[in-house]
Amino acid sequence: GMFVYTDVIERALTPLQVAAFANCIMACMLTNFGGGLHEADTPPSTIVPSLKLLYGTLIAYQLSLCFTKLSLCALYLKVFTTSRSSRLFLYGIFAFVTIATIILECISIFQCNPVKGVWDITIDKKCIDTIPAFYASTVESVLVDILLIAFAAPKIMRLNLHARQKNALLFTICLGGVPIIASIVRAVRVSNILHAEDKTWVSFDSSIWSAVDANVSIICAAVPSLKPLLRQIAPGFMGSTFGTSQPGA
């Protein structure tokens, strides 16, 4: 049934969240190719490698956000299943995130014709302006995070749980507010970078906020794996909620 379906989704998405790890690795590698240095102090030989890494982080970042949001949808489908409207809402979010990610990834990957024009500054190429897609990605990410928190929080409040148990789960759900803040800060920082003359110098912390955004989202999506810890914090809670496929609120 549906619970088997959502379990399959969760298992299928988990390996793909390695994109967040890849994003962090490439961001760290950027420090070897001018990241955090003044452009005047950056050797010309680092231009191509740094552009390749920036291209890779752009693709990996969007994928990591997509798959963690889909995992949250799958988790909520497993827990909150009492009404048809709830299922339709989550399936709608699932479809919206999938379609938006496909569009944004296509824009990122094929921003230049030929594709190697993204990092090869010596060839003739035609490139599109990706700034609108960047802002659209931020709006989509923040909107989905807000919708998922607004969906889950009221249902948790209606659960028949002790205050400590309910607060522990609400805290976990509201961790989703951290990616919202991180997305907004990242958008502001990247916007500043786009208008800065010394881009390599001012870009040092944008990758940090990208990592915070993606990895806190993964923590939120990994709530079921925290079952032993939450059992210590709120005894009996996990067995009645995430431990089974019983209808929620």
Side-chain angles (χ1 to χ4, degrees), residues 36-60:
L37 298 177
H38 290 291
E39 284 189 358
D41 300 326
T42 305
S45 60
T46 64
I47 294 176
V48 171
S50 64
L51 290 176
K52 285 182 176 179
L53 286 170
L54 286 170
Y55 182 64
T57 57
L58 180 64
I59 295 169

Side-chain angles (χ1 to χ4, degrees), residues 56-243:
T57 57
L58 180 64
I59 295 169
Y61 173 75
Q62 192 65 44
L63 282 176
S64 66
L65 293 189
C66 169
F67 290 122
T68 49
K69 286 172 173 53
L70 295 186
S71 292
L72 280 172
C73 286
L75 174 63
Y76 293 164
L77 277 169
K78 186 175 181 180
V79 177
F80 305 119
T81 58
T82 56
S83 68
R84 182 171 178 270
S85 61
S86 293
R87 292 193 296 272
L88 289 176
F89 173 82
L90 291 171
Y91 285 135
I93 294 291
F94 200 101
F96 173 69
V97 170
T98 301
I99 293 170
T101 300
I102 291 173
I103 294 172
L104 291 168
E105 286 290 66
C106 285
I107 292 173
S108 298
I109 294 170
F110 303 110
Q111 60 184 274
C112 286
N113 182 24
V115 171
K116 66 181 295 186
V118 174
W119 61 82
D120 192 337
I121 61 176
T122 65
I123 64 173
D124 292 330
K125 58 195 174 185
K126 291 183 179 180
C127 298
I128 62 173
D129 183 4
T130 59
I131 294 178
F134 162 72
Y135 287 118
S137 171
T138 302
V139 171
E140 178 261 334
S141 178
V142 170
L143 175 63
V144 170
D145 284 336
I146 291 173
L147 288 174
L148 289 176
I149 293 174
F151 170 82
K155 293 181 178 298
I156 292 169
M157 292 300 295
R158 291 195 294 268
L159 290 175
N160 185 21
L161 298 171
H162 293 299
R164 186 179 65 169
Q165 298 170 329
K166 190 175 294 185
N167 290 337
L169 187 56
L170 277 173
F171 172 77
T172 305
I173 297 299
C174 290
L175 275 177
V178 176
I180 294 174
I181 296 171
S183 290
I184 294 172
V185 173
R186 175 180 178 269
V188 172
R189 293 297 300 149
V190 172
S191 179
N192 291 337
I193 293 168
L194 294 173
H195 298 94
E197 293 184 4
D198 197 348
K199 297 186 188 306
T200 56
W201 177 252
V202 300
S203 65
F204 71 95
D205 65 339
S206 63
S207 58
I208 296 175
W209 287 106
S210 296
V212 171
D213 190 352
N215 289 288
V216 173
S217 296
I218 289 176
I219 292 173
C220 295
V223 169
S225 67
L226 301 177
K227 184 175 180 178
L229 176 61
L230 292 182
R231 213 179 241 159
Q232 294 295 320
I233 298 173
F237 164 69
M238 293 297 283
S240 63
T241 307
F242 288 114

